[in-house]
Amino acid sequence: MTAKQDAGKQASSKGWVALVGTGPGDEGLLTVRAAELLAAADLIVAGPEHQALAEKANPEAELTEPVDAQPAASAKQLAAAAKSGQLVVRLYPGDPLLSGAATDAAACAKAGVRFEIVPGVPAHTAVPAYAGIPLTSTSSTEIRVIHAAEVSRVAYSPGTLVVLDADAGPADMAKMLIANGWPETTKLAITWDGTTSAQQTITSSLGRVGPDLKAAGISLANTQGQAVAIVGDAVANRDKLSWFETKPLFGWRVLVPRTKEQAAAVSERLKDYGAVPEEVPTIAVEPPRTPQQMERAVKGLVTGRYQWVAFTSANAVRAVRERFEEYGLDARAFAGVKIAAVGEQTAHALTDFGIRPDLVPEGEQSVDGLAKEWPPYDDLLDPINRVLLPRADIATETLLAKLTDLGWECEDVTAYRTVRAAPPPAPIREAIKGGGFDAVLFTSSSTVRNLVGIAGKPHAVTVIGVIGPQTAKTAAEFGLRVDVTASKPSMTALVDAMAEYGAGLQRAATEAGEQVRRPSERRRGGRRRR
């Protein structure tokens, strides 16, 4: 029995409470135990800052906020739900015992309710790590962790001082430390919104923190998140150990105009490069208006009518797979049939279905590339000359014509329809036209046409990335300047090319002695022109 199943079994037999720390901000720092409990929870009690974690939870779980700011009322809420037989998961930022969970734990103990405390990664270790600052060294292992309100009572020490809630008055904090005997030259780093895509770190010294913050354009008026300050010689390591804020697309807000299913893998790769992906569907995939064609095609596959099946998109694979599942069939129905995939995304969709394609273009991953590598029909080697082409209703006839020239008899079947998606919400449309996005990734000519049609043209400062020459041509027709083109027509290559472009901007700014800025921070007004 897995831990998740065990947690669910315990919850069904008798209610109990899990007091769970979520870490300082990055959802990837959630512990395995915390994820297991969220997946098994009946009731999740969480503040607004934890709403994004709902997707990791049991979809049938009830999600609610604490009933009251008073600790006693909150503890009563937890105990009452547990006594009704529910597994209650209460979420706390950082580590629960550093965020007030002790009061709730004591109340559960008093009420006779079983509880568990699940530690979370605390901010005072996670934020320095994400800033590239080790808290100890071979020469000093002393670490002191305090809140900003305690600064006036901290005497000088050669170790590392970590100050929580340092966002209220960094300059005043530095003056208090100097008054307590800390040298003005002592190194200081302040990190806002640690471990998130909004993280920002400023390094200085106690004697210069005020001027350095002003030079960086940072003030209490334009910072919102909490800050952690690190004081001591350890700060010097940041120059060579900074790894998070130096990701090539760090903080970039990137528009991914794809179907929801297709966007997920792209978004994960963008996050690896530090970007904040925003998935905006531009097309919706629907079944064909008349299913008879697909029904005959499936029957033909089962009866051995085809020598080849050519998949030109992951959507085509998905459409055929769904029809197979309706009939109780699986990948074994393709036995004896050769399979072609137009590119790596389509090949991945086939692999997920349990099918290894026989032909994937090694060169250009497109319909033309597939046609160039397709073998001609040989009546001695090929017992059947028919090829099944399941496609979209708006697909071109290019592949069909080329295969016919090679001697194959092609059956062109509409496997799915593509329709333009509904316009995104007004804030998204405004961000697209107003320069709120740093980059947009176009994966086909249709995504260009549809995005412009439902949301308008991207702003002049937005970096435009395209998957290939044809998409670049369409973008140019709409007056968009293409900045990045994938080395090969695949989403992986496009994201990698965008990351390389971002790294180039970072290098150029560093060599010029300038602050690294995202494209959206350089708005100059006006739309992008050719």
Side-chain angles (χ1 to χ4, degrees):
M1 180 178 293
T2 66
K4 174 182 173 181
Q5 291 169 329
D6 181 54
K9 182 179 179 181
Q10 292 168 354
S12 62
S13 60
K14 185 178 180 181
W16 57 293
V17 175
L19 310 173
V20 176
T22 63
D26 184 350
E27 293 178 16
L29 296 180
L30 196 70
T31 66
V32 173
R33 180 58 175 162
E36 290 171 348
L37 290 168
L38 282 170
D42 298 305
L43 173 66
I44 299 173
V45 182
E49 71 275 15
H50 290 125
Q51 296 300 308
L53 289 176
E55 64 185 39
K56 302 181 185 301
N58 175 6
E60 298 179 359
E62 179 186 354
L63 182 64
T64 186
E65 295 188 17
V67 293
D68 198 282
Q70 295 299 320
S74 176
K76 184 178 180 180
Q77 174 193 25
L78 301 178
K83 287 182 176 180
S84 70
Q86 293 182 307
L87 165 55
V88 185
V89 175
R90 172 70 163 99
L91 300 180
Y92 304 84
D95 186 85
L97 292 182
L98 296 175
S99 303
T103 300
D104 290 332
C108 288
K110 184 177 180 180
V113 172
R114 175 175 169 255
F115 66 92
E116 174 181 337
I117 299 174
V118 181
V121 179
H124 61 261
T125 57
V127 174
Y130 272 56
I133 301 173
L135 297 181
T136 63
S137 66
T138 55
S139 59
S140 175
T141 59
E142 180 187 1
I143 305 171
R144 287 185 289 175
V145 181
I146 65 168
H147 284 269
E150 304 171 277
V151 166
S152 62
R153 302 192 296 273
V154 179
Y156 171 72
S157 169
T160 301
L161 177 68
V162 180
V163 185
L164 304 177
D165 299 323
D167 43 281
D172 292 336
M173 177 190 71
K175 291 178 181 177
M176 292 181 194
L177 290 174
I178 293 172
N180 284 348
W182 292 71
E184 293 187 7
T185 56
T186 304
K187 297 184 182 300
L188 166 73
I190 306 177
T191 299
W192 283 265
D193 299 301
T195 79
T196 73
S197 59
Q199 178 173 309
Q200 182 178 21
T201 302
I202 298 298
T203 58
S204 181
S205 64
L206 293 180
R208 285 198 50 82
V209 61
D212 286 346
L213 290 176
K214 184 177 180 180
I218 294 177
S219 67
L220 295 179
N222 60 21
T223 55
Q224 298 179 355
Q226 291 187 330
V228 174
I230 303 98
V231 185
D233 293 340
V235 174
N237 291 282
R238 174 173 162 77
D239 289 342
K240 59 179 180 292
L241 297 182
S242 177
W243 63 274
F244 187 57
E245 292 171 62
T246 55
K247 289 186 174 185
L249 299 178
F250 181 76
W252 282 39
R253 189 182 180 193
V254 180
L255 181 68
V256 185
R258 303 267 282 172
T259 63
K260 194 72 175 178
E261 295 82 3
Q262 294 169 325
V266 178
S267 294
E268 286 305 311
R269 195 168 188 87
L270 284 167
K271 289 177 183 178
D272 288 341
Y273 284 119
V276 182
E278 187 116 23
E279 300 168 2
V280 177
T282 57
I283 62 172
V285 177
E286 298 182 356
R289 296 186 187 280
T290 56
Q292 289 81 6
Q293 273 192 327
M294 277 292 287
E295 290 174 357
R296 288 194 297 269
V298 172
K299 182 178 179 180
L301 281 168
V302 174
T303 59
R305 178 177 174 81
Y306 304 106
Q307 177 76 1
W308 281 89
V309 180
F311 290 99
T312 57
S313 71
N315 283 329
V317 177
R318 191 173 296 110
V320 171
R321 181 175 183 174
E322 289 174 355
R323 186 53 58 93
F324 267 41
E325 291 172 350
E326 287 178 10
Y327 296 142
L329 301 173
D330 56 28
R332 289 173 292 183
F334 286 93
V337 181
K338 294 183 178 180
I339 307 297
V342 75
E344 64 177 35
Q345 298 297 123
T346 306
H348 288 161
L350 285 166
T351 302
D352 290 341
F353 189 18
I355 299 170
R356 183 175 180 178
D358 300 280
L359 175 61
V360 180
E362 294 183 0
E364 180 183 349
Q365 295 190 354
S366 66
V367 168
D368 288 338
L370 183 60
K372 289 177 183 178
E373 298 186 27
W374 196 286
Y377 172 67
D378 188 325
D379 57 3
L380 296 178
L381 299 177
D382 301 307
I384 304 170
N385 74 333
R386 292 188 190 90
V387 178
L388 175 62
L389 298 176
R391 60 166 178 82
D393 57 332
I394 59 172
T396 65
E397 309 298 323
T398 304
L399 184 59
L400 186 149
K402 290 183 179 296
L403 296 188
T404 301
D405 290 342
L406 291 171
W408 295 95
E409 179 183 336
C410 298
E411 291 190 9
D412 202 16
V413 175
T414 299
Y416 63 96
R417 293 184 299 124
T418 57
V419 297
R420 180 176 288 182
I428 298 296
R429 299 198 302 271
E430 293 168 4
I432 290 171
K433 294 182 287 187
F437 284 97
D438 297 286
V440 58
L441 303 181
F442 287 118
T443 58
S444 66
S445 293
S446 62
T447 57
V448 178
R449 288 190 291 266
N450 289 343
L451 181 70
V452 174
I454 65 177
K457 293 167 64 173
H459 189 276
V461 299
T462 306
V463 178
I464 302 296
V466 299
I467 202 166
Q470 185 58 48
T471 307
K473 181 180 178 182
T474 303
E477 291 172 356
F478 280 87
L480 303 177
R481 185 190 68 241
V482 174
D483 303 291
V484 176
T485 302
S487 59
K488 59 181 181 179
S490 77
M491 281 306 301
T492 298
L494 177 54
V495 174
D496 291 347
M498 186 62 71
E500 185 176 346
Y501 181 87
L505 295 181
Q506 285 187 354
R507 287 192 300 269
T510 302
E511 291 171 0
E514 300 174 353
Q515 183 178 348
V516 177
R517 295 185 181 277
R518 301 190 305 275
S520 62
E521 295 174 318
R522 300 194 296 269
R523 304 180 200 182
R524 292 186 292 271
R527 289 186 175 180
R528 176 181 298 270
R529 300 180 183 276
R530 290 180 60 185

